[in-house]
Amino acid sequence: MKRIYIVLYLLMVLVSCKEDDISSSLKTDDVAPGQLKKVDIENIPGGAKIRYELPDDKDILFVEANYKLADGIAKNVKSSFNSKELLVEGFSEIKEYNVQLYVVDKSGNKSAVTQATIAPLTPPIQLIESSLVMQPDFGGVKFNWSNELKTPVALLIYGKNNKDEEILIDTYYSDAKEGGFVLRGQESVERNFTVVIRDKWNNLSGRITKLLKPIFETKLDPTKFADLGTSFRQNVQSSSITAHWDGKKEDNALGEAVIPWNVSFSLGTEAKISRIKIWQYSWSFNNYGHYYAGGNARIINIYGSLNPNPSGALDGSWTLLKTCEIIKQSGLPIGIGRTMMSDEDFDMAKNRGHEFIVPLEAQNVKYIRIEVIKGWETTLGAFSELELFGAPIN
């Protein structure tokens, strides 16, 4: 019994010691830490990197910077005690700004303020604005710009409605180094298009307005398409080429083909091709699990010609319009099954189709050649449906 009391006593002592340790670790003081030392400023586009040396205090928790942006909203940025640099950004003008710097310790005490003056370089949205190019494209307007800093921005695109009122037509988000976007669905009528660039701090660029006339575009009429015959086929034992434009976006058009295979057909008219849309094949009975897998085509070359060699040879009479590589955006492993696809993968394959833009400078064509050079898992390399868009010449 005596031993039990001794053990209980020792346990109580240990618990008491731990409570004292915890209590002491939570204790606070009211001694403010020292100020930052040797503050150095590196001005960058739209902001500054502030480097410094910490004071000798042992209980520093973080360094804090306070400043205001053009909209008057106060910003607060913190950097941990093991860092010697702060980034302040979001400034929309090239001028001097004041930044207040504090050292904060584990007790919440703040040091006296250290004043820093920064002079940000040209803001990213202004750099993007100066590089923006707008030009007519099929069914709309093409926008290109440079964004060397990969700053996340939104392009706000405005136009006039039939009441001559300015409306927001579209918003495009990007952080790409070389940005590009085509606004489609616009009538082939000359009018002003305006772009305003917005960053994540709600800073806005100037208004960029240009008078443009979108190029007429329509879906080419598949009822005019015609198979060019067996001399224009390779590695296809039996061809049901017309199934590529029958409107059925699930069944594979070619059941017997070996990569690399090709078939050719007539458009029934001369046309300038703007876009190509391709649908993979799959079936509803297995929840469309064959997308991005099995015998689906992965890389497809689309050629055009005004006067192809009657022998069907792929020679100088054919011009490559576009190499169409079907991309699985999610990066999930290749394999049959709905679980192998993200919702975006599935929507692209089943509903929207895979769209490929033909360069504006591409020649007019009367004939199309499909050449499949790579599949996902087998040598079949088939696909379901093909749609062509552009401007018929006659």
Side-chain angles (χ1 to χ4, degrees):
M1 183 65 72
K2 187 175 181 179
R3 289 181 179 177
I4 294 174
Y5 282 123
I6 293 172
V7 171
L8 289 173
Y9 173 76
L10 291 173
L11 286 172
M12 290 173 65
V13 170
L14 287 172
V15 170
S16 177
C17 289
K18 286 186 177 180
E19 288 178 347
D20 289 342
D21 289 342
I22 293 172
S23 177
S24 63
S25 67
L26 294 176
K27 283 183 178 179
T28 61
D29 61 55
D30 56 2
V31 180
Q35 292 176 268
L36 294 175
K37 300 183 291 185
K38 296 184 180 179
V39 175
D40 180 65
I41 306 295
E42 179 189 351
N43 293 306
I44 62 173
K49 293 179 181 179
I50 303 176
R51 300 184 180 92
Y52 47 79
E53 288 188 12
L54 295 169
D56 297 329
D57 300 71
K58 303 300 183 184
D59 61 345
I60 294 172
L61 186 58
F62 58 83
V63 175
E64 176 180 287
N66 294 320
Y67 58 98
K68 287 186 178 181
L69 297 180
D71 56 10
I73 294 179
K75 303 293 289 184
N76 178 278
V77 178
K78 295 181 176 68
S79 180
S80 66
F81 69 90
N82 56 5
S83 175
K84 294 185 178 180
E85 180 177 296
L86 269 168
L87 175 64
V88 293
E89 53 186 343
F91 299 94
S92 62
E93 298 179 69
I94 305 173
K95 67 177 187 179
E96 291 188 345
Y97 295 87
N98 179 255
V99 179
Q100 298 177 324
L101 302 168
Y102 299 91
V103 180
V104 181
D105 66 19
K106 295 176 182 178
S107 298
N109 300 309
K110 275 189 177 183
S111 70
V113 64
T114 299
Q115 301 285 354
T117 300
I118 66 170
L121 306 181
T122 304
I125 57 171
Q126 292 183 24
L127 296 173
I128 297 169
E129 176 185 352
S130 66
S131 71
L132 184 74
V133 175
M134 301 165 58
Q135 62 187 52
D137 206 314
F138 285 99
V141 178
K142 184 177 183 179
F143 304 87
N144 290 99
W145 62 90
S146 295
N147 183 2
E148 290 289 332
L149 301 172
K150 298 183 178 180
T151 303
V153 295
L155 273 72
L156 311 177
I157 304 165
Y158 297 90
K160 296 285 186 70
N161 61 16
N162 54 14
K163 296 180 180 179
D164 202 36
E165 300 167 333
E166 186 172 71
I167 59 171
L168 179 65
I169 302 174
D170 203 353
T171 301
Y172 185 78
Y173 299 90
S174 174
D175 61 0
K177 185 175 181 180
E178 295 297 327
F181 165 67
V182 179
L183 172 72
R184 299 203 184 276
Q186 305 301 305
E187 294 183 25
S188 184
V189 177
E190 189 176 62
R191 61 191 175 112
N192 283 325
F193 291 87
T194 298
V195 178
V196 176
I197 303 164
R198 183 185 69 207
D199 65 20
K200 64 182 180 180
W201 298 279
N202 286 320
N203 295 318
L204 300 176
S205 72
R207 291 171 58 87
I208 310 146
T209 300
K210 194 167 184 180
L211 184 65
L212 299 169
K213 183 180 181 181
I215 304 169
F216 175 76
E217 181 192 58
T218 187
K219 177 183 171 183
L220 300 187
D221 185 357
T223 63
K224 296 181 179 180
F225 298 174
D227 185 356
L228 288 182
T230 55
S231 63
F232 285 87
R233 302 175 194 161
Q234 178 183 336
N235 293 341
V236 178
Q237 295 179 24
S238 63
S239 176
S240 55
I241 183 174
T242 57
H244 280 123
W245 55 80
D246 63 1
K248 298 177 182 178
K249 296 183 172 68
E250 294 182 9
D251 292 340
N252 55 327
L254 300 179
E256 298 180 13
V258 179
I259 296 171
W261 62 262
N262 65 72
V263 292
S264 303
F265 63 96
S266 167
L267 294 174
T269 183
E270 181 179 341
K272 186 171 182 61
I273 306 298
S274 60
R275 291 182 288 148
I276 301 165
K277 293 191 78 171
I278 295 172
W279 277 266
Q280 304 178 59
Y281 76 83
S282 198
W283 304 283
S284 59
F285 75 83
N286 69 346
N287 199 16
Y288 304 98
H290 276 73
Y291 292 142
Y292 309 97
N296 264 298
R298 188 169 183 174
I299 300 179
I300 306 164
N301 285 330
I302 305 293
Y303 294 86
S305 176
L306 283 171
N307 186 26
N309 187 326
S311 71
L314 182 58
D315 56 16
S317 64
W318 292 96
T319 299
L320 179 64
L321 298 178
K322 189 72 176 181
T323 294
C324 307
E325 180 175 2
I326 293 174
I327 303 294
K328 193 175 188 180
Q329 295 293 339
S330 67
L332 288 169
I334 297 172
I336 294 174
R338 179 64 179 87
T339 59
M340 308 301 285
M341 292 170 259
S342 68
D343 289 342
E344 182 183 10
D345 293 336
F346 184 75
D347 181 54
M348 181 71 73
K350 185 179 188 302
N351 302 313
R352 290 186 289 163
H354 303 275
E355 182 175 89
F356 304 93
I357 307 301
V358 176
L360 273 172
E361 61 271 18
Q363 69 173 50
N364 293 354
V365 299
K366 286 185 177 180
Y367 305 93
I368 294 292
R369 183 186 188 107
I370 303 169
E371 179 188 46
V372 175
I373 60 174
K374 186 175 182 180
W376 284 90
E377 293 183 291
T378 77
T379 58
L380 175 62
F383 63 94
S384 176
E385 194 78 0
L386 177 80
E387 289 184 352
L388 298 170
F389 296 79
I393 305 302
N394 50 44

